[in-house]
Amino acid sequence: MRDTDQAGTGHPQITAPQRELLDQLLDKWSLQVLEELCGRPSRFNELRRAIPVVTQKSLTATLRRLERNGMVERVVTSTRPIAVEYRITPLGTTLQELIDALLGWTAANLPDVERARERYDADQD
């Protein structure tokens, strides 16, 4: 829940913990990883193939952050050889509708955003 500002205007303010969580969920790779894992559990290399532009280091850091925040779980299987699979948690699943909405919004509005950027950049020259 958002707090109201100290001036008493009733305008909501995002708290520091909320800002930190949003920064982590909306970072460069988290949405893509969550979108992939909402579809099905995946091993690390499957995620790398699904998101080919992410580096191994960035994917590892993203998975650890998502795991720490309770969105993803790391499951070690007792197969030979031992395998690690990443799965969306029930908490992470609650983000599916929001992720779909954000991705849908960007798909629908990207042409308008690109035109706005072009106008802005032209005015800056």
Side-chain angles (χ1 to χ4, degrees):
M1 178 171 273
R2 296 184 290 188
D3 294 331
T4 56
D5 67 1
Q6 292 181 354
T9 63
H11 295 288
Q13 283 197 321
I14 298 174
T15 65
Q18 289 170 325
R19 189 171 38 257
E20 179 187 16
L21 179 58
L22 287 170
D23 284 347
Q24 291 178 7
L25 291 175
L26 299 173
D27 73 351
K28 190 171 183 176
W29 303 114
S30 291
L31 281 181
Q32 285 184 275
V33 168
L34 288 167
E35 178 69 9
E36 288 297 322
L37 294 177
C38 280
R40 64 180 179 82
S42 297
R43 293 175 66 173
F44 186 88
N45 285 328
E46 291 173 323
L47 287 169
R48 285 280 316 269
R49 284 191 293 277
I51 311 168
V53 292
V54 68
T55 64
Q56 181 172 336
K57 181 179 178 181
S58 293
L59 181 56
T60 298
T62 298
L63 287 166
R64 286 182 180 161
R65 235 183 348 268
L66 292 171
E67 185 179 6
R68 179 175 182 259
N69 286 316
M71 307 299 157
V72 168
E73 65 181 344
R74 183 179 182 269
V75 179
V76 179
T77 61
S78 59
T79 59
R80 294 235 189 251
I82 292 175
V84 175
E85 185 175 76
Y86 294 91
R87 298 179 184 165
I88 197 83
T89 64
L91 180 60
T93 301
T94 65
L95 293 169
Q96 180 68 55
E97 190 175 317
L98 298 170
I99 292 168
D100 290 345
L102 279 171
L103 295 177
W105 182 90
T106 57
N109 291 287
L110 187 57
D112 292 333
V113 170
E114 289 173 338
R115 283 191 291 279
R117 288 174 177 170
E118 288 171 5
R119 281 192 306 273
Y120 179 87
D121 292 346
D123 290 346
Q124 299 304 308
D125 293 336

